[in-house]
Amino acid sequence: RFSTAAALEETITPSVQISYTQHFINGQFVDAASGKTFPAYDPRTGEVIARVAEGDAEDVNRAVAAARKAFDEGPWPKMSAYERSLIMLRFADLVDKHRGELAALESWNSGKPYEQSAKSELPSFARLFRYYAGWADKIHGLTVPADGKHHVQTLHEPIGVAGQIIPWNFPLIMFAWKVGPALACGNTIVLKSAEQTPLTALYAAKLFQEAGLPPGVLNVVSGDGPSAGAALASHMDVDKIAFTGSTETGKIILELAAKSNLKQVTLELGGKSPFIVCEDAEVDKAVDLAHFALFFNQGQCCCAGSRTYVHERVYDEFVEKAKARALTRVVGDPFRKGVEQGPQISSEQFEKVLGYIKSGVESSATLECGGQRFGSRGYFIQPTVFSNVQDDMLIAQDEIFGPVQSILKFKNIDEVIRRANTSRYGLAAGIFTKNLDTANTLSRALRVGTVWINCFDVFDAAIPFGGYKMSGIGREKGIYSLSNYLQVKAVVTPLKNPAW
Ligand code: NAD
């Protein structure tokens, strides 16, 4: 069934040294002001792999002061956009050069399969910076044909100091979604990584230093949410805060921004995305895609297709095959070749996911397979499939963030639109059909930020991503992300000779 649990006992040693554990402030690696450190774990075993500087309000103050100085006194916002883009391109080249180490560090600290890190996420990471480097010298305002005797133009200016708070499920990719557009637009940055995964952001900071980024332009503080994160979100000298994580924390961020200096806010929050398998579906293909949509990254994706709606005509066959596919999913050491699923990120998430599985069983959904931990140490969970899931069950409403597929039956398109839209979330949706009319109807009716038709998790740098409803505010990636990091200034000049 799965990779044998015994194989988990001998963990493969990743081929990377952990060299950067201090904060990166004003171009230097420095200890926490308090001198404190906190542990970074290997989720395969729960063992500590490094101790990392633990940031609090004082470290955030120091980082913000450095970012403020680099913004106000330059050179970053005053450098030519082309020079900024060259630094970002140099950084992307260094990422390619250090791909193996970065991928190993990412997988070691987060538990995601090494092949996924090395072959998919690291290339995307470098690509995102090349994409944003391309934007740097193409950001410009407009000439506005206003009424009256005036010449009117708009200037698109950087906002200033951007605070950025990222989660643990895609530590490097989230770093790129935030840092890329902020740098391209000429902002300076204080980024707080997730306390579970502090290591790769610090490595990336080192590569930025090597690429020639001036001191203070990018500062990375490690530490937890209520101290370092909250200090950043409520800082009076931070002009903008961008956050990815849970909806609960998103609300806190918005409140802290409102109560401090009304800094601008973008939020990328939770989801409970429907994956809709229509009656004309080729079941084998639909099963594979629905499986990928849910189980990818140990089920730890904000946009995971976590409500699998299947038309009644193909439902029984789908459930049987979804179970068979889950039973063949290879769980094991993320550094072992061919492993599809590593451990969950932490003991908290592990317990939380097992709690949801228990709730599914108690609410009389049918447990088709899985449902238990995998092995006896670390945070591995068996790929789990529930059928007969009803909309009012907790497992159909909450973001489980784990390898738990919930399959629901539907009868017709109007019904599935209504049910899919009842969620408080609106991040993404998948549609599986060959019928163009059905695809068009669903993609317009669903209240979500991304619709994937016969595909899922397509994350090109140019495609905007973000949520409707309680899934967030604003869009990241693509041209839309630039407006998160720009102010628009209108400049009005009287015309001496209006005839011309
Ligand atoms: P979280 O929202 O608490 O953490 C995300 C980031 O916010 C981290 O960097 C954290 O340090 C920071 N943070 C936490 N509290 C803060 C505060 N008061 N002020 C400022 N920053 C703060 O998420 P979590 O506790 O790590 O995970 C809980 C749940 O969130 C998961 O089970 C999952 O459902 C969801 N989640 C969603 C995403 C996503 O991509 N949308 C990512 C991670 C987790």
Side-chain angles (χ1 to χ4, degrees):
R1 277 172 59 178
F2 308 120
S3 169
T4 62
L8 294 178
E9 298 304 321
E10 331 141 20
T11 44
I12 296 173
T13 309
S15 53
V16 61
Q17 299 284 332
I18 300 175
S19 306
Y20 311 109
T21 56
Q22 294 165 293
H23 299 318
F24 183 72
I25 297 177
N26 207 23
Q28 307 283 331
F29 283 98
V30 293
D31 285 333
S34 67
K36 286 190 192 159
T37 60
F38 68 100
Y41 296 98
D42 177 347
R44 297 177 300 175
T45 58
E47 284 164 8
V48 175
I49 55 174
R51 294 204 63 93
V52 179
E54 183 176 344
D56 59 21
E58 180 49 30
D59 302 284
V60 168
N61 283 340
R62 292 177 185 184
V64 172
R68 186 84 258 162
K69 186 162 181 285
F71 186 80
D72 292 347
E73 296 174 20
W76 191 245
K78 299 182 180 85
M79 261 162 96
S80 84
Y82 179 57
E83 280 177 283
R84 289 205 308 267
S85 80
L86 289 178
I87 292 175
M88 294 171 77
L89 290 172
R90 269 206 296 280
F91 171 74
D93 290 345
L94 287 168
V95 168
D96 285 345
K97 189 171 154 202
H98 295 275
R99 180 185 295 182
E101 292 117 282
L102 273 164
L105 208 50
E106 189 81 325
S107 286
W108 196 6
N109 195 193
S110 75
K112 62 179 75 206
Y114 175 76
E115 286 180 15
Q116 176 187 323
S117 297
K119 293 186 183 159
S120 164
E121 294 186 19
L122 262 298
S124 297
F125 183 65
R127 173 73 181 95
L128 281 154
F129 279 98
R130 293 196 174 99
Y131 173 81
Y132 283 111
W135 268 119
D137 59 358
K138 295 165 197 72
I139 294 165
H140 50 74
L142 302 169
T143 310
V144 182
D147 288 348
K149 300 165 187 172
H150 292 98
H151 170 70
V152 181
Q153 56 180 320
T154 57
L155 303 179
H156 290 190
E157 299 181 338
I159 292 184
V161 176
Q164 306 185 322
I165 300 177
I166 58 174
W168 42 260
N169 52 345
F170 294 93
L172 280 174
I173 297 288
M174 291 300 105
F175 179 102
W177 286 19
K178 301 268 181 296
V179 172
L183 289 185
C185 295
N187 298 270
T188 61
I189 298 167
V190 177
L191 177 133
K192 193 202 79 67
S193 54
E195 57 274 29
Q196 297 84 350
T197 52
L199 301 176
T200 45
L202 295 169
Y203 198 115
K206 171 69 190 166
L207 297 186
F208 261 121
Q209 186 192 48
E210 210 174 313
L213 192 72
V217 175
L218 170 68
N219 304 276
V220 178
V221 174
S222 313
D224 73 11
S227 57
L232 191 56
S234 54
H235 205 289
M236 292 301 286
D237 232 0
V238 170
D239 302 300
K240 191 244 154 45
I241 187 97
F243 169 79
T244 297
S246 63
T247 296
E248 295 69 41
T249 307
K251 288 182 177 180
I252 296 174
I253 301 287
L254 203 51
E255 205 179 326
L256 294 174
K259 283 188 174 155
S260 52
N261 61 346
L262 278 179
K263 55 181 69 62
Q264 299 194 14
V265 181
T266 41
L267 303 172
E268 202 267 276
L269 309 175
K272 192 71 187 175
S273 300
F275 183 96
I276 300 173
V277 179
C278 299
E279 61 183 315
D280 65 335
E282 275 181 66
V283 175
D284 290 343
K285 286 189 181 162
V287 163
D288 277 350
L289 194 59
H291 179 88
F292 168 67
L294 185 282
F295 289 98
F296 174 61
N297 205 46
Q298 293 71 245
Q300 301 169 149
C301 296
C302 47
C303 54
S306 51
R307 289 183 292 155
T308 311
Y309 284 103
V310 182
H311 191 274
E312 60 179 1
R313 203 180 67 76
V314 289
Y315 179 85
D316 290 341
E317 183 187 355
F318 184 97
V319 170
E320 209 43 52
K321 290 181 168 169
K323 170 184 174 180
R325 175 66 186 92
L327 285 171
T328 60
R329 186 166 186 79
V330 184
V331 185
D333 187 324
F335 286 94
R336 206 170 286 279
K337 217 172 160 35
V339 162
E340 296 173 284
Q341 182 178 314
Q344 306 309 119
I345 186 74
S346 63
S347 62
E348 289 78 15
Q349 287 296 310
F350 174 79
E351 295 299 339
K352 186 175 161 189
V353 174
L354 289 176
Y356 277 117
I357 292 174
K358 188 158 169 275
S359 135
V361 171
E362 285 167 2
S363 60
S364 74
T366 308
L367 180 66
E368 296 284 346
C369 65
Q372 307 284 329
R373 82 178 301 172
F374 176 70
S376 57
R377 67 171 182 165
Y379 312 129
F380 296 85
I381 294 180
Q382 293 174 349
T384 298
V385 176
F386 281 107
S387 63
N388 288 319
V389 176
Q390 306 302 318
D391 292 343
D392 59 0
M393 292 177 182
L394 208 56
I395 57 168
Q397 296 192 346
D398 283 12
E399 185 175 47
I400 299 176
F401 236 61
V404 183
Q405 185 173 36
S406 298
I407 308 179
L408 308 92
K409 192 192 282 188
F410 75 92
K411 286 190 167 60
N412 63 58
I413 293 296
D414 286 346
E415 172 206 332
V416 82
I417 290 171
R418 184 179 45 74
R419 291 172 61 193
N421 279 341
T422 51
S423 174
R424 60 187 180 275
Y425 296 115
L427 195 54
I431 300 171
F432 202 86
T433 182
K434 282 187 179 149
N435 185 319
L436 192 59
D437 294 330
T438 306
N440 280 334
T441 302
L442 281 171
S443 53
R444 278 163 173 69
L446 294 171
R447 308 246 315 128
V448 297
T450 299
V451 177
W452 284 297
I453 300 170
N454 297 332
C455 61
F456 208 85
D457 283 347
V458 177
F459 279 113
D460 191 276
I463 305 175
F465 185 80
Y468 282 38
K469 300 195 267 183
M470 286 172 75
S471 289
I473 300 175
R475 295 292 176 270
E476 298 193 286
K477 295 196 291 129
I479 190 170
Y480 299 90
S481 64
L482 302 175
S483 58
N484 298 334
Y485 292 98
L486 290 170
Q487 286 280 18
V488 176
K489 179 183 283 176
V491 180
V492 183
T493 327
L495 288 170
K496 268 251 154 45
N497 184 347
W500 295 101

